[in-house]
Amino acid sequence: MTRDIRQAAAKANNPEYMSLWAGQGLRLATDRSAAATVKQTIDQANVLVKLIFNLRRVGD
């Protein structure tokens, strides 16, 4: 339905008429490097792994 509009916008390098999706967490985005985002993700995953490990130990 909007393919022609999006293609013309892409050719003109005009993002105003392209489908640019930010997802549900747009307001959570911060202005930082990809490396910082990856580090935060790994740090948070490590916390969760430790939490799950500790919960398993308590259940044994």
Side-chain angles (χ1 to χ4, degrees):
M1 179 182 274
T2 62
R3 180 184 57 195
D4 294 339
I5 295 169
R6 289 183 286 112
Q7 286 178 348
K11 286 181 184 176
N13 198 23
N14 182 352
E16 292 294 318
Y17 297 102
M18 289 189 258
S19 298
L20 302 175
W21 304 103
Q24 295 179 346
L26 175 62
R27 287 174 182 77
L28 298 174
T30 58
D31 186 20
R32 62 183 174 175
S33 69
T37 301
V38 170
K39 182 183 180 320
Q40 179 187 21
T41 302
I42 291 169
D43 291 345
Q44 290 172 343
N46 284 331
V47 168
L48 290 174
V49 168
K50 288 176 186 176
L51 185 93
I52 291 169
F53 179 76
N54 288 335
L55 287 174
R56 283 187 168 183
R57 288 180 59 196
V58 170
D60 290 341

